[in-house]
Every structure is written in structure tokens, then in C-alpha cells.
Amino acid sequence: MSGPGEDELIETLRRLLAAEAPGVRLGPGDDAALVEVGDRLAILTVDMLVEGVDFELGTAAARDIGYKAVNASVSDVAAMGGSPRFCLVALGLPRSVERGWVVELHGGMREAAGEHAVAIVGGDLSRADRVVLAVTITGEAPAGGAVLRSGAKPGDRVVVTGSLGAAAGGLRLLEAGPEAVAAARADGWGRDLLEAQFRPVARVGEGQSLARAGATAMIDVSDGLSLDLWRLCRASGVGAAVTLSRVPLAPALGPLSRVVEVDPLALAVGGGEDFELVATLPPGAVEAAARSLAERFGTQLTDIGEVRKGTGLVSVSEDGTERPMEPEGWDHLG
Amino acid sequence: MSGPGEDELIETLRRLLAAEAPGVRLGPGDDAALVEVGDRLAILTVDMLVEGVDFELGTAAARDIGYKAVNASVSDVAAMGGSPRFCLVALGLPRSVERGWVVELHGGMREAAGEHAVAIVGGDLSRADRVVLAVTITGEAPAGGAVLRSGAKPGDRVVVTGSLGAAAGGLRLLEAGPEAVAAARADGWGRDLLEAQFRPVARVGEGQSLARAGATAMIDVSDGLSLDLWRLCRASGVGAAVTLSRVPLAPALGPLSRVVEVDPLALAVGGGEDFELVATLPPGAVEAAARSLAERFGTQLTDIGEVRKGTGLVSVSEDGTERPMEPEGWDHLG
């Protein structure tokens, strides 16, 4: 984990590419792009996963790698309140990978696609030194308009779906070695952490509900709460205050912290790959949104802070002390 | 170069993925997928390029790699007679690659995108051991319907745009070493070969013209004439006879064959990356199609043979002798 260094290079490249062009409603820089297709707005996004960076063949099963790859891209569509529809998969394969592994990988992709009613319609195979996957998803924007990163307004509440830190906790558990994993797997909390790490599920329905509830901005927590919320705030030209005691910690982080030396709050704030959604809502819209998510999906929605004028993040501790909060999380070029 | 081994694994994976799903008009297996977006038909395709497999950092300039990557994906849209519209780029980068290289790569992508009126609307950056690029293109199907690989009928003529073998010739020239390259570059033919290898241009306008002219099937020559025509025939459930003396050899292959030991016809039939289009047309439609391509684009269209009942390819030599023609070309998993 490191800072937002990736964002600077991305910003440079964005300026190179972001020509205003016919049919482009939203170019690079948000969770996904928005383009006109006839009288519809389509959502376009791609995510790359690389062996040794995003997953290890020694610890992740082929099926889980495929499952997670599709969910990671679907999550970008969810973060706009959209509906994922079609999927393309580009796959680089080393010679050492066996046919059965490739078939399992595709089984996992198909499983994830099926759960989100996404059709995998094409792809490309190439030889590569290590396994590399690029998953493209196209989707439909919600009828009321896509929820961008850039609409947050001072006074809005900051809300987050589900709980945070489990995916990063699962990684820490894996790093503790096979014995710790085996012991933890015997308990429910261990399974929860590994499930969060290997088989995350994008919050598609929740994103659509938050869009209908009037979310002013939204992003998925792919790289870490503080880094992703910082990106949302930067895009909106605002700041935010996060009340640390309200950040919903994944329940399994408690038992994990008794086995491995981890700070549950640090994992929840700086750990990536939770694929929960962070949104901003007008204060009056939070209660109805929370009720809707609980009733329809059994998903908790937690108010963790407020949008403020200015820039950057501050954390608010229980005694009301405010401190600058550094945007920490997964840097893809770190 | 090797046989069509890649196609077998792809066939297995296709069966795993090709669920019939709402909105999918054409799933995996053609040049690109066709999906419904509202009342429009969208074309979706992705191509992956890997350092050490598809290009070498030592011989290809960053700008040319970007330019070629975009053209390779656009070519799949051209092969359906469609119009490319939007582009996503997923990029894996080793630490050793400098910022300036990445900026040049994007400059090349933008140049190619601009020439085809394509907007690059998003992407993803990841760390990787070697440079890897996955370029997704979405496009619009032609009003009269996309030209698939599967519509060729016995009696149709087989036509090809431009000339073949220059990209493969460029590769042979590079393999001959820097002195041969420098000498050849001083002559026009050397520049032609290197241009074909490093800066191929997808035949978008030609593909649209061939669609309007009544092409029954079409594919782009990305892996080699014989392999790609074999794929077209297999998809159509037909065979084809290719008159070898009619295959349009790239003019630069003549001078190349006096410097490097190459067989121009073998390069034209088995060499990949020409990104010319091979189409099948009813006999009565060839002349008008050829005139249209010559007048509008200055592009030659050559009748190289006929579609027959049965399966597989045969070559026809000048004395009329027919021999089975093995589908040879670039195998991505070879």
C-alpha cells in the first residue's frame, strides 16, 4: 500500500487522450466512461489483473481468479448505478498453464457473469510470460442518469455499503502462512475473510438503489476507502470528514487481530478490493436509502461522515479531534 | 508460424461461454461480437498485445506500438463492415518503462484513434513484468447488417484488399539485422516493409464499401491469408480454391527476396498482420466493388479464387493443378 502516485501518471495520460468527441458524455477519469449509442447511454469500463500483482497462482484457484476479475469490472458499472450487460475477456497465458486451469478460469468468469446477468460475448487469447486478464464490461446507465464521482456537495452525507477491510484481512491471513489459514478456515471468520479476498461480489443492486435514492456521487472501494473517497472528493471539488468510529469494520477483523498483528481500522480505511460502494447523499435521503438497501438486499448502509467545502480528507476521532487523513490504499503502479 | 492449434482451445472456451443471452446477436467466434443496445446493434472486440510476443521494445517505437495496437482492434470492426466509435485501453507496465515511453505510446494510440474517428474514453493501468496492452473497441454495425464470417456460399468469389506479405516481410528484414535494415531503409521498398510492420492501417472504409457491395462473409488478415480464409470457410461450412498466381504480393517483397532468403508467395499466404480484408462476394458484385474501392480509397481489390462446396482450402497453380492448402499462419498460443 502506498499513496496516490498512480493518479498523477493517469492524470497526464488523461490529458493526452481526453479529446472531446462526438458521442462522448464522459471520458477517462471516472469509474467508467459514458457514451451515446443511438438514444441510449452506454457505460464502458476495463480492468486488468496481472499474476504476481493482483493474484498469485499458488494461493488463488483458477475459478476464483475468473470470478473476481469479472466482479472487479462489474463493480465499476455498479459505482455509476448502472446495469452491466456484456463482457469481453482478453487473456494472456504462459505455456506452463494447463488447459484444465484455463477451463476453470472461464468457469469462474461464467459463474460471476451469470450472477450479474452479464453475457460474455468475446475475447482474445495471447501467449504471455505470466497470466494476465483484461475484462471489459459494457453496461447501461440508469434512467435517471449515471452517478459520477463529481457531484458531491458540501453538506451531503458520506455513506458506505456493507463493511470494510475483509478483503485486506484475507490477504493478511494468507501471508500468515498455511497453518494459520487452515486454523482460521475451521472458524467462520476465517472463511469470511478468504471469501472476501477471493470471491468478492459487486454491489450492482445497491448501486442502482443508491442512484434512485438521489446519490450525488459514488465510487467503488477498489483501492481503499481513504484513497477512493479522496478521488471522489477531488473530482467533486470538495473535502470530507470521516468519523472513524462509524467506519463499519468487517466482523471477522476482530478474531483476525487476535491471531495476526493487524489494526482492523487501518485495514478498513486503507485496504483495497472490498468492492463496497461509497456514495454521497443529501442528509434527508440517507434514512430511506438505508431502509431500501436493508429490505431489498440485506445490505447495511452506514453514514460515516460529511462532505465539506475545501479539499482533502480529515478524520474525526471520538472526542471530536480532527486530523488530516492521508489517502492511502493500493497503488497499481507502486 | 504454425497451424491452427489456438483455434481448438478457443473452441472449447467458446462452448463454455456462449450462453444464449438476451441482447446477444452474435457471441464469441467471429471477428467481433454483436449486441443490442436499445434499437442499435453494437460491435464489441478486444485484442491483447504482449511484449516479446507481439512486439519487441528494442525494435518498435512506443508510438508505433500504440498506433498498431489501436489499428489491430479497429480492424476487427472493419472486418464486419462496421464503424469504430469508442476505445478502452488496459495497460500493464514494468517498472523499467519510463514515463516518456508511456506518453509516446498514448500519443500513437491517439493518432490512430483520431484517423479512425475513434474516441479513447477510458482504461486501466497495472504493474506487470512486461508491457501488455488490451485494446477494446466498440463500434456500430452497418445499416444493412454486419458481415459475418459465416455467410459465404458456393460460387461466391474470394476477394482481398490491397496486397499481402509486407508486414511479414518487414519482420524478416528486422531479423536480418540493423545493417540490412539501414540499407533497405535507404530504398523505398525497405520503408514500405517497415511501415507495414509498424504502422498498419485498418481498412475501415473498404470494409464498409464491401458490406454495401453485398459481401456474404468477411474477415481481416491478422494471422495469415490461408489461416484466416480457412476460418471464414469453416464458419460458413464451405471450402475455397485459391489461385496462387492471383494472390496480390506486396511489391516490396521482390527487392526483399534479393537481400534476404524469403519466398514472397509464402509470406503473402502465411504471413500475418497485414490487416487487409478477405471477403466473399457473389460473382456479379465483384466488378462494382473493385471500382468502388479503387475510386474512393485508391485500394486495389483482387479476385483470388472461389468458394466451393465441402471443407478446407485448395491452391490452384498456373497449370490448373489443385493441391490441399494447409491453413498456416500466426498461432497466438504457438
Side-chain angles (χ1 to χ4, degrees):
Chain A
M1 293 190 225
S2 69
E6 175 197 8
D7 292 45
E8 289 165 42
L9 178 55
I10 289 176
E11 200 55 53
T12 302
L13 301 178
R14 196 175 293 163
R15 276 193 295 271
L16 260 179
L17 297 180
E20 290 190 15
V24 180
R25 288 282 186 92
L26 185 68
D30 213 290
D31 297 298
L34 281 174
V35 301
E36 294 166 9
V37 180
D39 59 354
R40 303 286 186 105
L41 270 192
I43 297 176
L44 303 178
T45 184
V46 64
D47 268 293
M48 181 173 271
L49 288 129
V50 180
E51 178 196 342
V53 178
D54 299 288
F55 59 86
E56 299 289 346
L57 294 188
T59 51
R63 195 168 188 90
D64 290 344
I65 294 167
Y67 187 88
K68 184 171 176 174
V70 168
N71 270 288
S73 287
V74 166
S75 183
D76 286 323
V77 177
M80 297 192 119
S83 306
R85 293 293 309 280
F86 306 110
C87 177
L88 297 170
V89 179
L91 177 60
L93 289 176
R95 274 175 209 280
S96 56
V97 165
E98 291 180 10
R99 190 187 184 89
W101 190 94
V102 182
V103 169
E104 274 296 296
L105 177 85
H106 280 70
M109 293 194 293
R110 183 167 173 168
E111 185 185 351
E115 288 174 6
H116 293 299
V118 166
I120 304 178
V121 295
D124 188 33
L125 272 186
S126 184
R127 186 58 75 209
D129 287 343
R130 306 190 108 189
V131 176
V132 53
L133 267 150
V135 177
T136 301
I137 300 276
T138 74
E140 287 176 14
V147 184
L148 311 187
R149 295 182 181 179
S150 54
K153 288 176 184 57
D156 284 347
R157 304 302 306 175
V158 178
V159 296
V160 61
T161 61
S163 65
L164 296 168
L171 211 53
R172 294 298 175 90
L173 178 59
L174 289 166
E175 289 165 1
E179 280 180 40
V181 171
R185 208 188 276 272
D187 288 326
W189 66 267
R191 285 194 295 277
D192 288 350
L193 293 178
L194 298 171
E195 184 91 358
Q197 170 58 224
F198 289 130
R199 294 179 62 85
V201 179
R203 298 287 201 185
V204 174
E206 289 87 342
Q208 294 166 347
S209 269
L210 286 165
R212 279 193 300 270
T216 51
M218 191 149 60
I219 192 170
D220 66 322
V221 184
S222 51
D223 296 335
L225 172 67
S226 61
L227 182 52
D228 289 315
L229 178 57
W230 176 82
R231 287 171 174 153
L232 182 152
C233 286
R234 194 183 50 164
S236 295
V238 297
V242 175
T243 302
L244 292 177
S245 61
R246 291 199 197 155
V247 172
L249 308 182
L253 295 178
L256 175 70
S257 69
R258 287 189 286 279
V259 177
V260 182
E261 198 177 321
V262 294
D263 173 358
L265 183 61
L267 289 181
V269 169
E273 300 192 312
D274 282 315
F275 300 113
E276 298 291 353
L277 298 175
V278 178
T280 54
L281 283 168
V286 174
E287 201 183 313
R291 204 165 45 233
S292 166
L293 259 62
E295 282 170 8
R296 298 193 51 201
F297 310 104
T299 301
Q300 173 183 301
L301 187 74
T302 309
D303 181 331
I304 61 169
E306 65 177 9
V307 178
R308 293 181 174 178
K309 286 183 189 169
T311 58
L313 306 182
V314 296
S315 64
V316 185
S317 57
E318 283 196 83
D319 64 1
T321 313
E322 298 195 355
R323 287 193 185 80
M325 191 178 185
E326 290 303 316
E328 284 189 359
W330 177 254
D331 185 334
H332 295 254
L333 294 182
Chain B
M1 293 190 223
S2 69
E6 174 198 7
D7 290 47
E8 291 166 39
L9 178 56
I10 288 176
E11 201 53 55
T12 302
L13 301 178
R14 195 176 294 163
R15 277 194 294 271
L16 259 178
L17 297 179
E20 290 191 14
V24 180
R25 288 283 185 90
L26 185 69
D30 212 291
D31 297 298
L34 280 175
V35 301
E36 295 168 8
V37 180
D39 59 354
R40 303 288 186 105
L41 270 192
I43 297 176
L44 303 178
T45 184
V46 65
D47 268 292
M48 180 174 273
L49 289 132
V50 180
E51 177 195 344
V53 178
D54 299 289
F55 59 87
E56 300 289 346
L57 295 188
T59 49
R63 194 168 188 91
D64 290 344
I65 294 168
Y67 187 89
K68 184 171 176 174
V70 168
N71 271 289
S73 287
V74 165
S75 182
D76 286 324
V77 176
M80 297 191 118
S83 307
R85 293 292 310 279
F86 307 110
C87 177
L88 298 170
V89 179
L91 177 60
L93 288 176
R95 274 175 209 281
S96 56
V97 165
E98 290 179 11
R99 190 188 185 88
W101 190 94
V102 182
V103 168
E104 273 297 296
L105 178 84
H106 280 71
M109 293 194 293
R110 182 168 175 168
E111 185 185 352
E115 288 174 6
H116 293 299
V118 166
I120 302 178
V121 295
D124 188 33
L125 272 186
S126 184
R127 186 56 77 207
D129 288 342
R130 306 190 110 188
V131 176
V132 52
L133 267 150
V135 177
T136 300
I137 300 277
T138 74
E140 287 175 16
V147 184
L148 311 187
R149 294 182 181 179
S150 53
K153 288 177 185 55
D156 284 347
R157 304 303 305 174
V158 177
V159 298
V160 60
T161 61
S163 64
L164 296 168
L171 211 53
R172 293 298 176 90
L173 178 59
L174 289 166
E175 289 165 1
E179 280 180 39
V181 171
R185 210 189 275 273
D187 288 325
W189 67 266
R191 284 194 296 275
D192 287 350
L193 292 179
L194 297 171
E195 184 91 357
Q197 170 57 224
F198 290 131
R199 293 179 63 87
V201 178
R203 297 287 201 185
V204 175
E206 290 87 342
Q208 294 165 350
S209 269
L210 286 165
R212 279 194 300 270
T216 52
M218 192 151 59
I219 191 168
D220 66 323
V221 184
S222 52
D223 296 334
L225 171 67
S226 61
L227 181 52
D228 289 316
L229 177 58
W230 176 81
R231 287 171 174 153
L232 182 153
C233 286
R234 193 183 50 164
S236 295
V238 297
V242 174
T243 302
L244 292 177
S245 62
R246 293 200 196 154
V247 172
L249 308 182
L253 294 178
L256 175 71
S257 69
R258 287 190 286 277
V259 177
V260 182
E261 197 177 322
V262 294
D263 172 358
L265 182 61
L267 289 181
V269 170
E273 301 192 311
D274 282 315
F275 300 113
E276 297 293 352
L277 298 175
V278 178
T280 55
L281 282 168
V286 174
E287 200 184 314
R291 204 167 43 234
S292 166
L293 259 61
E295 282 170 8
R296 298 192 51 201
F297 310 105
T299 301
Q300 171 183 304
L301 187 74
T302 310
D303 180 330
I304 60 169
E306 65 177 7
V307 178
R308 292 181 175 179
K309 286 182 189 170
T311 58
L313 306 182
V314 297
S315 65
V316 184
S317 57
E318 283 195 82
D319 63 1
T321 313
E322 298 196 356
R323 286 193 186 81
M325 190 179 185
E326 290 303 315
E328 284 188 359
W330 176 254
D331 185 333
H332 295 255
L333 295 181

